[in-house]
Each structure stands twice: as structure tokens, then as C-alpha cells.
Amino acid sequence: DDPAAAAEMGDSMFDYTLPPGYTEEGAVNMGIMKMLMITPGSNSTQMIMLMQLPAIMGVGADNYRDQMLQQMQNQYGSEYSMELISQETRTIRGEEVAVYYFEGTDTQSGYDMRMMVTSFIPGNSGQVMVMIMGPSMGWDQTLVNNFLNSIQ
């Protein structure tokens, strides 16, 4: 993984502030779809993933949320069984964005997991979905809120 290329990809999506100790670790450019992995230092276990698609694609968020989850499972060698537990709406970049919270289990480790995923947010060169995932125990909602609020 190339952190410099990952940071460049993140900059092309939209402006945001990394949580303390986090770095853009890896990027995958699949032509029409781009994915960025933002990983924590030793102070957190929550990982952030951004996925961008061209704005012209009228796509359902559910399919791409599933693809992001699959990519994360491939990256870390885990499988997750997740259920929707709550939903809210917040304004990001001047648009109403749905924010979904899921809970479930990492089927390999048995850990209880939590995941936050947004609907698509208009980005600089496409539409971007944000996913944050980590263990339920120690979930840092302030980190989630601060990251979402930092998106410009």
C-alpha cells in the first residue's frame, strides 16, 4: 500500500480532517470505483473506508455498502453478520445524508462489531460513501461525529 497515493485519492474525494493518529493507508482504483482505507494508530480500533463512484451512476447504496463490507472482510480476513439497529439524517456538504448504524458479530473472532455507513455524499468528482467499523466495546461515537462533521 502507498500512503502518499492514498492521501492523494482522499484529497480528490472531498476535504476532511483525519482523526488523531489516523492515516490514509491504502487505496484501490478499480477505474469506475475508488476505495480508500483510513486506519488508526494504536489509540483506536475503528477503521474508516471511503468509496467513490461517478455522480452519473444512479446506483443503490445497499449494493455498494455490501461491496465495501466485502472489501473490508477481504482486507482483514474476517466475516461479519450485521443487522440495522438505527438510522439518522445529517447534513453533510449541504445535502441531507442518511446515516445507518449496524451491529453484529465477527463470525471468526466472535467479537461484537458496530458499523456506521452513510448514503452517498456529493464529492469533488463523484459520489462518496463513508463507512466506519470497529468493535462495539469501545466504540467511539465522538470520533464518528467529528469525522462526519469535518467533511467539506
Side-chain angles (χ1 to χ4, degrees), residues 20-23 25 38-48 76 143:
Y22 278 68
T23 58
E25 179 183 293
I38 300 172
T39 57
S42 58
N43 62 338
S44 178
T45 55
Q46 288 172 231
M47 192 184 59
I48 302 169
Y76 293 96
L143 179 143

Side-chain angles (χ1 to χ4, degrees), residues 71-143:
Q71 180 69 25
M72 192 174 287
Q73 290 176 146
N74 292 343
Q75 179 93 5
Y76 293 96
S78 295
E79 291 186 27
Y80 306 104
S81 172
M82 306 295 274
E83 290 185 29
L84 180 66
I85 59 164
S86 68
Q87 177 180 341
E88 64 187 39
T89 302
R90 59 170 64 216
T91 303
I92 301 175
R93 297 192 81 180
E95 300 285 330
E96 293 294 304
V97 174
V99 179
Y100 304 94
Y101 289 89
F102 295 83
E103 285 189 346
T105 304
D106 178 332
T107 58
Q108 291 186 338
S109 70
Y111 289 126
D112 290 332
M113 303 295 289
R114 180 171 286 181
M115 176 175 73
M116 182 286 311
V117 63
T118 67
S119 58
F120 283 110
I121 302 164
N124 294 337
S125 57
Q127 51 192 357
V128 181
M129 182 181 283
V130 177
M131 183 167 90
I132 301 176
M133 186 171 200
S136 296
M137 183 180 290
W139 179 260
D140 186 348
Q141 187 62 41
T142 300
L143 179 143

